[in-house]
C-alpha cells in the first residue's frame, strides 16, 4: 500500500527551484572535502515524531491527519512500518531511530509486549533487506507507562528497576538483530520532582548499576554498537539527572563508565540547560565523547522542549563545524528528533519539515567546511594563543613551571598587553561565509 | 585632530571583499524599491556606547583603548565631539543619538551643568553645519547620578521630580536647537525594587503628569520632533514600568497620552521581556505606534541587556520586514544602541562592529524587500484568512453577526475543516530567500 | 454512591494537629477583621484538575487512581458530578469552577453537545439546591478540540469563530442558569505560533468583536456576573495575546471594553510572564480591574505552567495583602487552578493538596491582615512619599507645576538628599510578622 | 576611631522584640542538638560587599554613604580594616572573607601590590589577636583589572597566567599567615564570550595545570586549609567553565584534582544555573564535596546575580537541612556573599541586612534540626525505598542481579503497584514545621 500518494521521491533541484517538494541545497552525492554529503550528514528519521505522534499537547487533542489514523493495535503498528519505509525512500534518508513502543504496542503482559516487538522487528528486518535505510539507534521507552511514574532505573520501586532491565535487555537484543549502530539512553523520568521525598544518592547509584548491567549484557551478546547517553536538564521531571554533557561526564567518571558511553546531544536540550548547541558539542568533543546528534531546534524564549525541525543556519553551521572538527560522528548521525508543529498536520508537512531540516544541515555542512578549509577561525585562534608556543607559555604547557618560577617571571613584567578578541569582526566573517559560500555554490 | 588615524573612510566593496574595513553589503546609494538604502535604513551611532563607555562591567574595570583616555572634564567632552564627527564621516552614518551626560559632564550645580551642555551643544551645532550627520534623538540621563536612586519622575522625592523636569526641559531646548527628529524617554529607574516600599499608583500617576508637562513644553517652544517611549522590562530596576510595548500602550491610553508618543523599540529589551524583536515591532505597527528602533541584539541565554551589535540575519530581516510594512520609520531610524564587547577594546573594533551591524541590516533590508515584492508571506496569509472575505466571515468583520446568527450558522456545520499552518515550509522559504536574494545580488 | 470512602469531612484541628486530613490553620468561622475567614477567602475547586484530569503529561500516560476510572461518556460525567459535590462538602468549599467539556462530553454534533451539557447542568443545579457550594465561574473550552488548532475567536477560519460564538452563548446560558458569579475568558489558543503566517491585527480585531458580542448577549439574557480575562503569556501558543494584565488592559482600552471586564489573575501565569504574582495583582488593583484569582503556584526554574497547589507562604501573604487592600475580591474568589503532581495519584492526595492550599491562604490572610492592621508597610510608605503632601510635591500632584516652575525650583536646590529604601529591614519584618502572627494565633 | 557610631552591639532580644537592631531568632549561645548555634552556623562577613562595594551598578554611580568615603588609597584600606573589626564585633560574627584587592589597593607594580597587601595583612593580623573573628577564606581577585579581560589561568596570554600564579601564590601565603580555614577559587573570567575565538580544551587544560600548581605550593608551605571551587554558570562571561557543582566535579575528576577540592556553593549561582540552592548542596553532599556556602539569595525572575541577603525561610531551612545531613560544614561556613540594595545606602542598612540574614539562617537551622530529629522526611523516604532492602531490590543493591535474573523476575510480575509520592502532603508538613517549630520556641 502507498501512504504518501501525492508525494514523489524528493530530489535535489538546486537553490533556485520553486518546487516546495525538492531539496534546494541537500545534494546527497555532492562531494564535500572528499566525502559524499550523505555520508557526512548521516540523516535519520525519528520514528516517534513522524509516525507515532499525533499532534496532541497538554492543552489539545490529536490533530495529525494520517492515512493510518483508522487503524489500531498491531494493524496500526504494521501500517506505520510500511509508511515509514516509504517515507525513508522518498526522502532518501540513510537512517532511522525508534523507541520500542513507537514500533510495537505494549501487550497486557511483558511476554506479550515481547511478542509484539518480535513481530514488528521481524517485519522491519525484512524491509531493511531491500532498503538502504539502516537503524541508527533504538531505545526503550521507560517513561510513558504509569509504572515509570517515579522513574525506571532510578525508581524507588525495585520491581520497576527489574522491569526496566527486562526492557533494555530486549532493546539490546533488537539492536543486535537489526544491526543498530548505537543504543541510546535518554533519562526519561530518571530525575526527581522534589528533594523532599528523594534519595538522590541511592537513585544515582542504582542508575550506575543499571548501566553496568547493560554494558555486561551487550558484551555477552556481542552487540558492538556505541552506547549513548542523551542529556536533558528538565522535563518531564523537574530535575533530570543527566542535566547536560558535563553532568553526564561527572556521573560516568564517578562510576567508571566513561569508556563505554558517549553522548547523544540534542540542540533543544542544550538550550533548556542554558547552553548553546555548539557548547554542548564542544564539551563532548574535547572530552572525546561526541557520539551522535539529535538534530532539532528549540525556541530560547520558550521554556519547554519544542523539538522543532532545525532551520536556523547559524545553529546548523556551528554544529557541523564541531562535527567536522571531531572528524565526523563515527557511528553516530543526525537524527531529526523533531516534530511538525501541531498546526502543520498534513502528511505533506512531514516532507516540508524534513526537507527544511536536511537543506539547513547541508548548508551548515558546506559553510562549516569552507570555514575550516580557509582556517578562518583556526588562524585567528592559533595567533591568539601563540604565547603558549614559546617561552613561559611553553613552560606552562609542558609542566615545567611552578608558582615560584611564574612569580619570578611576573615580577619582571611591566603592564601586560592583551589583544582584542575581535568578536564583532568574527561574527561579520561568519555572515560573509554563510552568504558567500552558498552564493558561490549556486553559481557552480 | 585625527583620532582614528589608521582608519580610512569605509567604502562599499561588495560581498567578495576580503577587506575587513569595508562594507560588503551596505551600499548607501543602492536603490531598493525606489529608495536609496541609506534613506531606508537611517542608521544612527549611539554616542554613549561608542564615545563614552569604557568597557567596565560589574566585575571589571575599564578596558577600552581610546585616543582620548588621557583627557578629563570638558577637554574630554570636546575631544569626543571631534572624534564623533570623524567617525560619523568615516562610517558615513546619517544620524547620531545622545544623552545629555554623554556629551557634557555634570557640573557641581544644575546651572553649571547647563553651561557645560550649552558649550558642547554649540560645538556640535557647528560641526553639524558641515556634516551630513543629523541628530536622530537626544534624551536626558536620569539614572546614573545617585539622586535618581529611587527613580526620576517616579521618585518618592519631589525634589528629584523637579530636578528631572529641569533636565528634560533643557533636553527639549537642545533638541529644538539641534533639530532633533525625536526625543526619547527610556525609563531608567522608573520602576521598583520591591513592592514592600512602593506606591505604584502614585508613581505612575506622577510619570503621566511628567509626560504631560513635557508635551506642553514641547508645544510651547515649537519642538516638532516625535516623542518616543523606549520599553524595557527590567534592569536596572527589578521591574521597569515600561515593560514592553503593550504595557506602554496601556499606560499611554489610560493617561490620554497616546497621540503624543510612539515607541522606540530595542531588540534586546524585547527578548528580555520574553518577546521576539519582530513581535514588539508588530505590536507597535498594528497600533500605529512604531516610531524608531534601537538596533542591537541580545543573547537569549543571558538574562541581562548585552547590547550586542546586530549580526543575526533572521532578526535584521524580520525587523526590516515590519519596518517596510510600516512604510518605513518616518522620523525614526536604526540607532545602534550596541557596544563592542569588553574584550574588543581597540578603536578598530568600533568600526568592525558598526560595519557588521550596517551590513547585517542592509542584508535584512534586501531580503525583506524581496519577500514583500514576491508577496511570499502576504499571499499565504491572504489565502489563510480568506474565510473572512465572504459569507459568515464577512458578516463577522462587518459587525453584522451576533451570537444568535453565529449559533444558527454553527448548528449547520459538520466537522470543521482547517488548513495546515505550514510553518516548516515558511521557514524553509525564509532560508531560501535569505540565501538566494543575496546570491542574486552578488552576481549583479 | 460514596467516592471518597476513607475520607471524612475535613475539620479545623489547629496548628498542632498531627492529623494529615485536618485543617491546621484554615478555620472557616474564625473572624478576621470583622469577617469570617470563609467569606474573605472564597475558595473554589477547579473541576478540570480535580475531576477530569488524569495525570497524563507530554511524556506519560494517565496515572490518577480514581473511583470513576472504569466509566465512560455520560456515565462518567455523572459520576464526576456526584464525586464533586461529595468533595465540596468534605472540604467545605463555597465555590467551584468548570469548563463546559470538564462536566459534559462533546457530542458528535454541536446539538448533541448542547444536550449533554443540559443534562449535566440540570444535575448540577439539583445538587446546588442542597449544597452550600456555588458556581464561582464557568467557561468554554476552546482549545482542546482540533478545530481550535489555529485559535477560536482569533482563528483564521470564520467557521471556528462562529462555532466558538455558539459555545460561549451556551456558556453564558449555563452561567445564568447556575447563578455563576463570573464568566471567564482564558485565551486558550488565542495567540500565534509564528508571525510568518499570522495577521495579528485581524485576529485581535476579531477577538474584540467577539467580546462585544458576548457583552451584548449577557445583557440580553440578564446575566449579571462579572466578565473576566485571564492573562497568560505563552503555552499552548508561543505567544498568547493576553500576555499579562497590562497587555490585557491595553487591549480592553483600545477596543472600549474596559468597563465590562476585570482580570482573573493566576500566580503561575504571572511568573511565566516574568512578573511576581503580587505584581499582577497590584497592576490590576490600581487600575480597578482585580476580579478574581487562580490560586496556584509555579516553579520559577521551570518554563511551563506547573499549576501546583499554593504552599509558598510569602506568595499567599503578599497575594492576600493585595486582595485585602482591594477591599476583597467582590464576586471573585480563590480558585485552585492547581493539580496534584502526576506522582500524587491517590484520591487522598486531592485532599492533602487542597488542605495545603487552604491552610496556606488562611495563613496568608492572617499575616496580611496583621500587616495592614499594624500599618507596617503603610506607615513606611506614607513617610517615604511625604514630599508630595506639601510644597513643590503638592503642587506637582495637584497639577499646579510645569517645567518652568519646576526648573526654577530645581535651580535653587543644593545636593538632593534621599532616604534609604530599607528593603532588607522590610524583608526582615515580613519574616517576623509571618512567624509571630501565627505564633500568637497558636497560643490563643 | 568608631565608624558605626549610632549602632550598639546587636543582641538577641527574642521574636517579639520591636527593636530593629536586635536579633529576633539568632541566639549564638542557644544549644541546638548539642551544639551552640554560633558553632553550627559559622557566619562570615564578605569584605567586598560590606566594606569595598559602593552601590554602583551598570546604570548608576556610587550611592553608599560610608564614613570612609572621603579617604583614598592605603588610608582608605586601613580605615576599612578598622571599620570591619568594629562591625564584626558589633554583629558578633565568627568569620570574614576577602579578595586581595578588597583589603589592599593594587600598586603600580606587582611588587608594590605585595607591599600593600603585606601592610594590611599585618594590620589585620594584629586585630585578629584580640578579636574572636577568624578568616574563613581569602582569595585573589583575578577579574577586575583589565589584564584579565580574557581570563586569568584560562587567558590566551601566558603572561596573564604567570601573573595570576603570582597572585595566588601570595594569596596562599596570606592564607597561611592569617590562619584561613579555606582558600577559594571563583572562576571570575575563566570562561568564554564566544566559541569563535576560543580554544576551550587548552584553556581548561591550563586551568587544571594552575590548580595542580596551587596544590603543590600549598603543600610546600604547609597550608592546611581546604581548597574550594565556587561554581557559577555565567556572568561576567557568557559561559563560565565552573557552571555548577556537577560541571566542577567532571573537571576535577578528569584532571585528578577531586581529592584536593570541595565546593563553595552560592545560592544565587545555583539558581542562575537552573538549579535550586538545595539541589547544588545535595549534589555536593552525596559526592563528599560540600565545603562551604555563600549564603545569599537571588531573584529567579532576574537573570543576573543579585546577591541579596538571604531572607527566604524555605531556602535557609532546606539549606540547613542539607548542611546538617552533611554533619555540618567542617572548615566551611556561611559567608554572606550578599550586598545591601543600591537604595539601602545607610550604614544602618548593613546591620539590618546582616541581622535579616542571620535570623533567617537561625530559623532555618532550628526548623531543619526539628525536621531531622522527628525524621519527618527520613521516615517517609525509608518507607518509600524499602523495596531495596529485601528480595530483588536487595539483590540489585548488592550487585547480585543482572539482566537475566531481572528479566526472569519481571516476567513473573503482574501490574506493578507504585505508591504516591505525596509531594503536596510533604509541602504542607514543611509549612507546619516552619511555623510550629518557631512558635514553640517562642513560648519557651
Amino acid at each position: 500500500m502507498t501512504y504518501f500518494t501525492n508525494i514523489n521521491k524528493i530530489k535535489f533541484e538546486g537553490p533556485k527551484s520553486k518546487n516546495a517538494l525538492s531539496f534546494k541545497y541537500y545534494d546527497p552525492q555532492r562531494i564535500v572535502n572528499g566525502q559524499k554529503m550523505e555520508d557526512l550528514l548521516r540523516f535519520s528519521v525519528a520514528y516517534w515524531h513522524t509516525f507515532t505522534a499525533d499532534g496532541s499537547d497538554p492543552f489539545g487533542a490529536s490533530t495529525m491527519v494520517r492515512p493510518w489514523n483508522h487503524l489500531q493495535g498491531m494493524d496500526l503498528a504494521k501500517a506505520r512500518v510500511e509508511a515509514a519505509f516509504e517515507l525513508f525512500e522518498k526522502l532518501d534518508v540513510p537512517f532511522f531511530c525508534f523507541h520500542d513502543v513507537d514500533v510495537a504496542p505494549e501487550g497486557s503482559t511483558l511476554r506479550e509486549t515481547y511478542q509484539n516487538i518480535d513481530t514488528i522487528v521481524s517485519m522491519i528486518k525484512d524491509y531493511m533487506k531491500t532498503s538502504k535505510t539502516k537503524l541508527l539507534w533504538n531505545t526503550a521507552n521507560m517513561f510513558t507507562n504509569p509504572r515509570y511514574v517515579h522513574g525506571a532505573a532510578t525508581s524507588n520501586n525495585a520491581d520497576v528497576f527489574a522491569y526496566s532491565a527486562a526492557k533494555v535487555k530486549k532493546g539490546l537484543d533488537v539492536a543486535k538483530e537489526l544491526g543498530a549502530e548505537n543504543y541510546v539512553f535518554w533519562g526519561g523520568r530518571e530525575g526527581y520532582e522534589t528533594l523532599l521525598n528523594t534519595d538522590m544518592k541511592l537513585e544515582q547509584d542504582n542508575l550506575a548499576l543499571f548501566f553496568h548491567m547493560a554494558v555486561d549484557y551487550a558484551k555477552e551478546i556481542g552487540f558492538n554498537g556505541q552506547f549513548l547517553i542523551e542529556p536533558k536538564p528538565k522535563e518531564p521531571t523537574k530535575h533530570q539527572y543527566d542535566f547536560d554533557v558535563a553532568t553526564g561526564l561527572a556521573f560516568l567518571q564517578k562510576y567508571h563508565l566513561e569508556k563505554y558511553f558517549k553522548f547523544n546531544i540534542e540542540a533543544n536540550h542544550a538550550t533548556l540547560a542554558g547552553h548553546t548547541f555548539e557548547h554542548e558539542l564542544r564539551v563532548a568533543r574535547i572530552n572525546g565523547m561526541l557520539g551522535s546528534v539529535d538534530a532539532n531546534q528549540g525556541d530560547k524564549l520558550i521554556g519547554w522542549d519544542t523539538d522543532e525541525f532545525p532551520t536556523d543556519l547559524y545553529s546548523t553551521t556551528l554544529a557541523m563545524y564541531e562535527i567536522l572538527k571531531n572528524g565526523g560522528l563515527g557511528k553516530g548521525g543526525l537524527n531529526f528528533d523533531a516534530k511538525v508543529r501541531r498546526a502543520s498536520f498534513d502528511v505533506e508537512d512531514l516532507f516540508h519539515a524534513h526537507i527544511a531540516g536536511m537543506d539547513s544541515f547541508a548548508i551548515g555542512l558546506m559553510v562549516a567546511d569552507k570555514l575550516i578549509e580557509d582556517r578562518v577561525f583556526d588562524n585567528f585562534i592559533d595567533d591568539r594563543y601563540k604565547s603558549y608556543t614559546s617561552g613561559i607559555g611553553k613552560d606552562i604547557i609542558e609542566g615545567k613551571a611552578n608558582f615560584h618560577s611564574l612569580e619570578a617571571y611576573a615580577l619582571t613584567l611591566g603592564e601586560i598587553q592583551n589583544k582584542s578578541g575581535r568578536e564583532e569582526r568574527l561574527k561579520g566573517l561568519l555572515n560573509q561565509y554563510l552568504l558567500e559560500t552558498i552564493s558561490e555554490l549556486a553559481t557552480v
Side-chain angles (χ1 to χ4, degrees), chain A:
Chain A
M1 185 185 159
T2 302
Y3 292 84
F4 309 109
T5 44
N6 296 319
I7 313 281
N8 297 316
K9 185 161 176 123
I10 309 301
K11 293 182 185 154
F12 173 72
E13 297 186 2
K16 291 183 203 310
S17 172
K18 300 288 185 194
N19 176 11
L21 292 168
S22 71
F23 295 118
K24 318 294 176 301
Y25 304 96
Y26 177 59
D27 183 2
Q29 303 307 313
R30 183 187 185 101
I31 302 298
V32 176
N33 195 18
Q35 281 187 274
K36 285 191 209 167
M37 215 180 232
E38 72 174 345
D39 295 334
L40 283 163
L41 291 168
R42 295 171 63 88
F43 288 128
S44 163
V45 170
Y47 207 96
W48 52 102
H49 281 313
T50 293
F51 304 107
T52 315
D54 64 3
S56 59
D57 72 13
F59 295 84
S62 162
T63 58
M64 294 298 150
V65 179
R66 298 287 177 261
W68 51 79
N69 274 352
H70 60 292
L71 299 172
Q72 285 188 313
M74 285 298 282
D75 292 338
L76 173 57
K78 289 173 185 173
R80 282 173 174 154
V81 173
E82 293 169 358
F85 279 89
E86 184 187 339
L87 181 137
F88 299 158
E89 193 190 337
K90 287 186 169 172
L91 280 174
D92 193 30
V93 287
F95 291 101
F96 72 117
C97 299
F98 64 82
H99 304 79
D100 45 9
V101 304
D102 304 330
V103 297
E106 288 197 87
S108 56
T109 62
L110 178 57
R111 210 172 293 274
E112 193 181 318
T113 298
Y114 278 6
Q115 287 162 359
N116 290 349
I117 290 171
D118 289 341
T119 302
I120 298 295
V121 164
S122 164
M123 185 178 168
I124 288 173
K125 196 172 180 186
D126 278 350
Y127 267 95
M128 287 175 75
K129 285 176 188 159
T130 57
S131 168
K132 71 176 276 191
T133 304
K134 295 188 284 183
L135 184 57
L136 186 65
W137 49 261
N138 64 318
T139 185
N141 175 321
M142 305 196 292
F143 46 91
T144 298
N145 191 292
R147 80 175 65 88
Y148 305 112
V149 65
H150 300 308
T154 66
S155 173
N156 60 305
N157 185 342
D159 283 0
V160 177
F161 186 105
Y163 197 97
S164 304
K167 288 261 284 184
V168 173
K169 177 173 178 291
K170 184 68 180 173
L172 292 171
D173 291 338
V174 168
K176 165 93 173 155
E177 177 77 7
L178 294 180
E181 310 224 350
N182 307 270
Y183 187 87
V184 163
F185 294 88
W186 169 58
R189 296 187 195 272
E190 314 292 28
Y192 65 84
E193 287 300 311
T194 172
L195 286 176
L196 299 184
N197 69 14
T198 301
D199 185 338
M200 188 194 277
K201 181 169 188 308
L202 180 145
E203 293 199 2
Q204 295 195 353
D205 287 350
N206 280 1
L207 185 60
L209 287 168
F210 193 90
F211 284 153
H212 275 293
M213 291 183 204
V215 167
D216 291 345
Y217 185 71
K219 277 186 200 163
E220 178 188 330
I221 64 170
F223 171 62
N224 298 317
Q226 173 67 50
F227 275 9
L228 298 170
I229 282 179
E230 180 178 327
K232 188 179 183 187
K234 49 193 160 190
E235 199 197 22
T237 72
K238 281 216 178 178
H239 216 288
Q240 306 271 122
Y241 288 135
D242 299 323
F243 191 85
D244 59 7
V245 170
T247 305
L249 189 56
F251 173 85
L252 293 173
Q253 287 171 345
K254 177 180 178 182
Y255 293 103
H256 310 297
L257 284 159
E258 70 270 32
K259 69 182 161 194
Y260 307 112
F261 285 81
K262 289 186 174 177
F263 291 100
N264 181 41
I265 294 171
E266 176 171 330
N268 203 157
H269 294 179
T271 53
L272 284 173
H275 309 302
T276 59
F277 186 19
E278 56 269 24
H279 170 88
E280 286 289 85
L281 294 167
R282 176 76 63 97
V283 173
R285 170 164 75 86
I286 67 171
N287 285 288
M289 303 289 274
L290 175 49
S292 195
V293 165
D294 265 15
N296 65 11
Q297 72 186 15
D299 183 321
K300 290 175 193 160
L301 296 174
I302 296 295
W304 63 91
D305 200 16
T306 62
D307 277 352
E308 300 171 36
F309 274 85
T311 59
D312 185 304
L313 300 179
Y314 293 107
S315 181
T316 60
T317 297
L318 295 175
M320 288 312 304
Y321 190 86
E322 296 299 327
I323 291 167
L324 291 177
K325 282 283 185 181
N326 195 56
L329 288 171
K331 291 184 175 180
L334 298 174
N335 174 49
F336 289 114
D337 187 0
K339 61 185 173 194
V340 288
R341 300 301 83 197
R342 188 173 180 269
S344 299
F345 42 69
D346 284 348
V347 153
E348 199 178 319
D349 291 306
L350 291 175
F351 288 84
H352 291 315
H354 280 90
I355 290 168
M358 291 162 83
D359 271 345
S360 296
F361 263 95
I363 294 164
L365 166 64
M366 291 186 283
V367 179
D369 176 69
K370 183 80 171 146
L371 284 165
I372 291 170
E373 185 190 319
D374 289 0
R375 295 188 53 81
V376 176
F377 302 131
D378 286 328
N379 281 342
F380 186 84
I381 288 172
D382 281 356
D383 182 63
R384 191 166 184 243
Y385 292 85
K386 77 170 177 225
S387 68
Y388 288 101
T389 58
S390 64
I392 194 79
K394 192 154 179 269
D395 287 352
I396 292 166
I397 297 281
E398 292 177 353
K400 296 179 184 162
N402 61 31
F403 273 12
H404 292 283
S405 66
L406 292 169
E407 180 188 55
Y409 176 82
L411 284 165
T412 69
L413 291 170
E415 196 178 343
I416 293 176
Q417 299 299 318
N418 282 299
K419 285 201 226 170
S420 166
R422 290 277 186 269
E423 182 167 335
E424 293 79 5
R425 169 64 181 143
L426 295 172
K427 286 186 175 173
L429 269 172
L430 179 61
N431 274 344
Q432 200 179 355
Y433 265 78
L434 173 60
L435 296 173
E436 285 311 293
T437 299
I438 301 308
S439 183
E440 283 164 26
L441 293 171
T443 60
V444 172

